[in-house]
PDB file of all heavy atoms in Angstrom:
ATOM      1  N   PRO J 276      47.825  58.491 138.281  1.00 96.00           N
ATOM      2  CA  PRO J 276      47.372  58.698 136.944  1.00 96.00           C
ATOM      3  C   PRO J 276      48.449  58.451 135.903  1.00 96.00           C
ATOM      4  O   PRO J 276      49.652  58.476 136.214  1.00 96.00           O
ATOM      5  CB  PRO J 276      46.972  60.234 136.980  1.00 96.00           C
ATOM      6  CG  PRO J 276      47.869  60.818 138.106  1.00 96.00           C
ATOM      7  CD  PRO J 276      47.888  59.700 139.082  1.00 96.00           C
ATOM      8  N   ASP J 277      47.984  58.034 134.655  1.00 94.00           N
ATOM      9  CA  ASP J 277      48.890  57.913 133.518  1.00 94.00           C
ATOM     10  C   ASP J 277      49.486  59.249 133.117  1.00 94.00           C
ATOM     11  O   ASP J 277      50.568  59.389 132.598  1.00 94.00           O
ATOM     12  CB  ASP J 277      48.170  57.263 132.366  1.00 94.00           C
ATOM     13  CG  ASP J 277      47.597  55.874 132.754  1.00 94.00           C
ATOM     14  OD1 ASP J 277      48.271  55.165 133.579  1.00 94.00           O
ATOM     15  OD2 ASP J 277      46.580  55.462 132.271  1.00 94.00           O
ATOM     16  N   SER J 278      48.618  60.294 133.124  1.00 95.00           N
ATOM     17  CA  SER J 278      48.993  61.609 132.617  1.00 95.00           C
ATOM     18  C   SER J 278      48.234  62.670 133.393  1.00 95.00           C
ATOM     19  O   SER J 278      47.187  62.414 134.012  1.00 95.00           O
ATOM     20  CB  SER J 278      48.770  61.704 131.114  1.00 95.00           C
ATOM     21  OG  SER J 278      47.388  61.547 130.803  1.00 95.00           O
ATOM     22  N   SER J 279      48.735  63.924 133.274  1.00 96.00           N
ATOM     23  CA  SER J 279      48.060  65.039 133.938  1.00 96.00           C
ATOM     24  C   SER J 279      48.367  66.288 133.150  1.00 96.00           C
ATOM     25  O   SER J 279      49.435  66.360 132.557  1.00 96.00           O
ATOM     26  CB  SER J 279      48.425  65.171 135.386  1.00 96.00           C
ATOM     27  OG  SER J 279      49.854  65.396 135.525  1.00 96.00           O
ATOM     28  N   VAL J 280      47.453  67.189 133.234  1.00 96.00           N
ATOM     29  CA  VAL J 280      47.652  68.487 132.528  1.00 96.00           C
ATOM     30  C   VAL J 280      46.901  69.570 133.364  1.00 96.00           C
ATOM     31  O   VAL J 280      45.844  69.357 133.971  1.00 96.00           O
ATOM     32  CB  VAL J 280      47.106  68.470 131.118  1.00 96.00           C
ATOM     33  CG1 VAL J 280      45.595  68.153 131.092  1.00 96.00           C
ATOM     34  CG2 VAL J 280      47.328  69.782 130.358  1.00 96.00           C
ATOM     35  N   VAL J 281      47.523  70.773 133.462  1.00 97.00           N
ATOM     36  CA  VAL J 281      46.810  71.901 134.143  1.00 97.00           C
ATOM     37  C   VAL J 281      46.204  72.818 133.099  1.00 97.00           C
ATOM     38  O   VAL J 281      46.760  73.141 132.097  1.00 97.00           O
ATOM     39  CB  VAL J 281      47.872  72.704 134.895  1.00 97.00           C
ATOM     40  CG1 VAL J 281      47.241  73.937 135.600  1.00 97.00           C
ATOM     41  CG2 VAL J 281      48.550  71.792 135.970  1.00 97.00           C
ATOM     42  N   VAL J 282      44.890  73.139 133.363  1.00 96.00           N
ATOM     43  CA  VAL J 282      44.120  73.948 132.409  1.00 96.00           C
ATOM     44  C   VAL J 282      43.462  75.138 133.212  1.00 96.00           C
ATOM     45  O   VAL J 282      43.081  74.919 134.353  1.00 96.00           O
ATOM     46  CB  VAL J 282      43.129  73.237 131.636  1.00 96.00           C
ATOM     47  CG1 VAL J 282      43.783  72.186 130.669  1.00 96.00           C
ATOM     48  CG2 VAL J 282      42.062  72.610 132.493  1.00 96.00           C
ATOM     49  N   THR J 283      43.358  76.207 132.482  1.00 95.00           N
ATOM     50  CA  THR J 283      42.520  77.412 133.096  1.00 95.00           C
ATOM     51  C   THR J 283      41.380  77.605 132.154  1.00 95.00           C
ATOM     52  O   THR J 283      41.647  78.202 130.993  1.00 95.00           O
ATOM     53  CB  THR J 283      43.430  78.571 133.326  1.00 95.00           C
ATOM     54  OG1 THR J 283      44.454  78.274 134.191  1.00 95.00           O
ATOM     55  CG2 THR J 283      42.584  79.704 133.925  1.00 95.00           C
ATOM     56  N   PRO J 284      40.175  77.231 132.418  1.00 95.00           N
ATOM     57  CA  PRO J 284      39.043  77.568 131.463  1.00 95.00           C
ATOM     58  C   PRO J 284      38.977  79.018 131.224  1.00 95.00           C
ATOM     59  O   PRO J 284      39.201  79.921 132.096  1.00 95.00           O
ATOM     60  CB  PRO J 284      37.859  77.100 132.258  1.00 95.00           C
ATOM     61  CG  PRO J 284      38.315  76.079 133.203  1.00 95.00           C
ATOM     62  CD  PRO J 284      39.744  76.477 133.610  1.00 95.00           C
ATOM     63  N   GLY J 285      38.612  79.321 129.968  1.00 94.00           N
ATOM     64  CA  GLY J 285      38.560  80.757 129.509  1.00 94.00           C
ATOM     65  C   GLY J 285      37.247  81.392 129.620  1.00 94.00           C
ATOM     66  O   GLY J 285      36.248  80.763 129.985  1.00 94.00           O
ATOM     67  N   PHE J 286      37.148  82.619 129.205  1.00 94.00           N
ATOM     68  CA  PHE J 286      35.943  83.463 129.338  1.00 94.00           C
ATOM     69  C   PHE J 286      34.716  82.776 128.724  1.00 94.00           C
ATOM     70  O   PHE J 286      33.660  82.807 129.361  1.00 94.00           O
ATOM     71  CB  PHE J 286      36.176  84.753 128.575  1.00 94.00           C
ATOM     72  CG  PHE J 286      34.964  85.718 128.521  1.00 94.00           C
ATOM     73  CD1 PHE J 286      34.652  86.579 129.556  1.00 94.00           C
ATOM     74  CD2 PHE J 286      34.158  85.622 127.371  1.00 94.00           C
ATOM     75  CE1 PHE J 286      33.558  87.353 129.502  1.00 94.00           C
ATOM     76  CE2 PHE J 286      33.001  86.435 127.292  1.00 94.00           C
ATOM     77  CZ  PHE J 286      32.774  87.299 128.390  1.00 94.00           C
ATOM     78  N   SER J 287      34.905  82.153 127.555  1.00 93.00           N
ATOM     79  CA  SER J 287      33.711  81.612 126.848  1.00 93.00           C
ATOM     80  C   SER J 287      33.278  80.308 127.425  1.00 93.00           C
ATOM     81  O   SER J 287      32.324  79.689 126.948  1.00 93.00           O
ATOM     82  CB  SER J 287      34.111  81.455 125.293  1.00 93.00           C
ATOM     83  OG  SER J 287      35.240  80.579 125.149  1.00 93.00           O
ATOM     84  N   ASP J 288      34.056  79.694 128.429  1.00 93.00           N
ATOM     85  CA  ASP J 288      33.630  78.467 129.003  1.00 93.00           C
ATOM     86  C   ASP J 288      32.636  78.500 130.007  1.00 93.00           C
ATOM     87  O   ASP J 288      32.016  77.615 130.492  1.00 93.00           O
ATOM     88  CB  ASP J 288      34.929  77.755 129.546  1.00 93.00           C
ATOM     89  CG  ASP J 288      35.884  77.302 128.504  1.00 93.00           C
ATOM     90  OD1 ASP J 288      35.461  76.897 127.450  1.00 93.00           O
ATOM     91  OD2 ASP J 288      37.105  77.439 128.717  1.00 93.00           O
ATOM     92  N   PHE J 289      32.346  79.813 130.500  1.00 93.00           N
ATOM     93  CA  PHE J 289      31.502  80.034 131.685  1.00 93.00           C
ATOM     94  C   PHE J 289      30.188  80.531 131.258  1.00 93.00           C
ATOM     95  O   PHE J 289      30.019  81.252 130.238  1.00 93.00           O
ATOM     96  CB  PHE J 289      32.220  81.039 132.633  1.00 93.00           C
ATOM     97  CG  PHE J 289      33.434  80.439 133.325  1.00 93.00           C
ATOM     98  CD1 PHE J 289      34.661  80.545 132.762  1.00 93.00           C
ATOM     99  CD2 PHE J 289      33.376  79.774 134.489  1.00 93.00           C
ATOM    100  CE1 PHE J 289      35.781  80.111 133.328  1.00 93.00           C
ATOM    101  CE2 PHE J 289      34.501  79.200 135.113  1.00 93.00           C
ATOM    102  CZ  PHE J 289      35.675  79.358 134.460  1.00 93.00           C
ATOM    103  N   ASP J 290      29.123  80.167 132.067  1.00 86.00           N
ATOM    104  CA  ASP J 290      27.775  80.648 131.705  1.00 86.00           C
ATOM    105  C   ASP J 290      27.392  81.852 132.583  1.00 86.00           C
ATOM    106  O   ASP J 290      28.238  82.436 133.279  1.00 86.00           O
ATOM    107  CB  ASP J 290      26.744  79.469 131.958  1.00 86.00           C
ATOM    108  CG  ASP J 290      26.710  78.934 133.344  1.00 86.00           C
ATOM    109  OD1 ASP J 290      27.146  79.705 134.308  1.00 86.00           O
ATOM    110  OD2 ASP J 290      26.409  77.778 133.673  1.00 86.00           O
TER     111      ASP J 290
END
Side-chain angles (χ1 to χ4, degrees):
D277 300 324
S278 61
S279 61
V280 60
V281 176
V282 299
T283 301
F286 175 84
S287 59
D288 293 322
F289 293 89
D290 57 27

